[in-house]
Amino acid sequence: MPMLRIAIVTLHLAVAPLVAQTVEAARVHAALVGHWSGTLEYKDYRDPTKRVTLPTIIDVTPRSAGGTSLHVVYDDGPGKTVVSDDRFVIADDMRSFDWTGVKDTVPEVFRMISVTQDGGTIRMVGERDGSDNDAPATLRETFTITVRELVVVKEVRPAGGTFSFRHTYRMTR
């Protein structure tokens, strides 16, 4: 009687632990580059219960000195086009970023509070001391960047207060 041999094969799969994606300044800058269109919604300084929404275009290009340049165009009604040119530079060590108008003489440097990447979404939060409506305040900028969407939320916290909405850019490409 022939002998039947059964071979049992055990397959061991090596499973590497999940590792958080490292977010580098160059990756964030590259994610920002492009033509964005959407809106800027902001709390009106004259009437804090009122919000204003303006059609907005942002063109982001690489800077030869590092970081990116932001050319922002706001449509503030018939015959009222507002243009802003800014530099946006993240420190190589990811501890801060500078978002300053090119005509401004004092840099607006934010402390990096957090920066994460989950799949295709980069989220970055920075804070700095400054002023809002001519009063001392902490300013917070939160960026959410995907391939197709850019959302930037600015919140302000007056001395001794809590953070509240100041403006939001909602952009797509």
Side-chain angles (χ1 to χ4, degrees):
M1 172 171 218
M3 211 172 181
L4 180 61
R5 290 196 170 164
I6 300 175
I8 298 176
V9 177
T10 305
L11 181 61
H12 295 279
L13 297 175
V15 178
L18 294 176
V19 177
Q21 290 177 288
T22 302
V23 183
E24 297 170 347
R27 181 180 291 176
V28 178
H29 289 295
L32 288 170
V33 170
H35 177 80
W36 301 91
S37 61
T39 60
L40 166 64
E41 177 186 6
Y42 65 90
K43 187 188 311 184
D44 193 318
Y45 280 100
R46 292 172 297 201
D47 179 359
T49 63
K50 181 181 175 186
R51 291 195 180 184
V52 177
T53 302
L54 304 177
T56 303
I57 294 171
I58 303 176
D59 286 307
V60 182
T61 56
R63 294 177 68 231
S64 60
T68 56
S69 293
L70 289 77
H71 178 73
V72 186
V73 179
Y74 311 93
D75 182 356
D76 199 10
K80 290 179 70 179
T81 301
V82 179
V83 176
S84 172
D85 288 302
D86 301 335
R87 70 172 177 261
F88 184 80
V89 181
I90 301 169
D92 289 338
D93 64 6
M94 298 298 291
R95 291 179 185 253
S96 64
F97 62 87
D98 174 359
W99 186 356
T100 305
V102 295
K103 294 180 183 176
D104 294 336
T105 57
V106 178
E108 296 183 7
V109 178
F110 290 76
R111 297 174 302 281
M112 190 75 75
I113 303 302
S114 68
V115 59
T116 58
Q117 182 167 0
D118 181 11
T121 300
I122 297 171
R123 187 166 187 275
M124 186 173 79
V125 181
E127 291 181 0
R128 74 176 183 85
D129 297 328
S131 66
D132 181 60
N133 207 15
D134 296 324
T138 300
L139 311 177
R140 178 189 290 164
E141 297 279 356
T142 302
F143 295 75
T144 305
I145 309 163
T146 69
V147 170
R148 301 217 186 282
E149 186 176 38
L150 168 64
V151 178
V152 181
V153 178
K154 180 178 186 177
E155 299 170 286
V156 296
R157 180 179 64 203
T162 58
F163 280 103
S164 65
F165 171 87
R166 175 46 72 196
H167 70 237
T168 300
Y169 290 94
R170 293 192 186 285
M171 313 301 291
T172 57
R173 61 170 146 199

